[in-house]
Amino acid sequence: MPLAVETVTLPLGLDLAAVAVGAIFGALVALRRDLDLTGTIGLAVCGGLGGGVVRDLLLNQMPVALTSGSYLPVALGTGVVMLVAHPQAQRLDDLLDVFDAVALGLFAIVGASKALDAGLGSVSAAAVGVVAATAGGVLCDLLSGQRPYIFGPGPIYGLAAAAGSAAYVVVERLGASIPIGIAVSLVVTVGLRLLAVHRGLSTPVATETRIPRPPERAAWRLSVRGRGRERTPPRR
């Protein structure tokens, strides 16, 4: 019975924490790009709720942000606090990458957890975690007129979410407790993301990638004479 209570309560707390951190990230993006009041609140809501809404739609569920009375107030409240605290809130701009990494990790955990609860396999559950972790940031970038950060070039982003989501699924499948899975996943996602930011780790640009070609073989010519074909080796 205690395990069942933990299973129900902990994801809810994580989900609301992810909403709050995601809303902070969205508001900071809006403040950095000089958006107005509506834009700041809008990006806060998108950053806080976007990943969860996409996650629930992928799981063929009604978005919990619409059915619960907790999610939207948390996102709106966080956006209002960030707006009222301006310009003090802009001092958090240096921590934008930190909030981004934490939100990435939290959404990946909740997304993978809910996908497992819905009966999805390990690979599919990890994929849902990646989508849930990155969808909010993609919406914020698109609505503010920017190219989605996940598509780079730049420090690895989607790979960090994938690693953290996969780590949670593996720990969960091994039968470890939920807190251990959360801790391992957060360390992997946040650590990898911040390491990529500070060390400049990134995936190569597609146009700069060269696929090695196999060694050339001796060319053979096919000469057609009448109805038959004969192969003529090259002259030496």
Side-chain angles (χ1 to χ4, degrees), residues 49-233:
L49 302 180
V53 170
V54 175
R55 172 202 67 212
D56 293 338
L57 292 177
L58 286 176
L59 298 177
N60 198 26
Q61 300 173 356
M62 179 66 69
V64 69
L66 302 179
T67 59
S68 173
S70 302
Y71 291 80
L72 186 57
V74 169
L76 284 173
T78 303
V80 171
V81 168
M82 294 293 291
L83 193 63
V84 172
H86 179 76
Q88 286 78 11
Q90 281 192 317
R91 298 177 182 177
L92 297 175
D93 189 68
D94 294 336
L95 299 177
L96 180 63
D97 291 326
V98 176
F99 285 109
D100 185 23
V102 174
L104 197 70
L106 291 175
F107 276 117
I109 292 171
V110 177
S113 176
K114 291 199 172 187
L116 290 174
D117 292 340
L120 269 65
S122 299
V123 176
S124 298
V128 171
V130 175
V131 173
T134 57
V138 170
L139 287 175
C140 288
D141 289 334
L142 291 176
L143 291 176
S144 59
Q146 302 292 323
R147 177 182 59 191
Y149 185 83
I150 188 176
F151 297 139
I156 58 176
Y157 186 77
L159 289 180
S165 183
Y168 180 83
V169 172
V170 169
V171 174
E172 178 80 8
R173 293 301 193 192
L174 292 176
S177 64
I178 292 179
I180 292 178
I182 293 171
V184 171
S185 181
L186 276 179
V187 168
V188 171
T189 306
V190 177
L192 185 57
R193 171 61 182 158
L194 294 181
L195 180 65
V197 170
H198 292 288
R199 296 293 184 180
L201 303 178
S202 62
T203 53
V205 179
T207 55
E208 297 178 356
T209 304
R210 295 290 183 268
I211 300 177
R213 296 180 179 179
E216 295 183 359
R217 298 181 180 180
W220 291 84
R221 292 180 303 170
L222 294 178
S223 59
V224 181
R225 295 181 179 177
R227 296 182 179 179
R229 295 185 180 181
E230 63 178 26
R231 298 164 69 177
T232 304

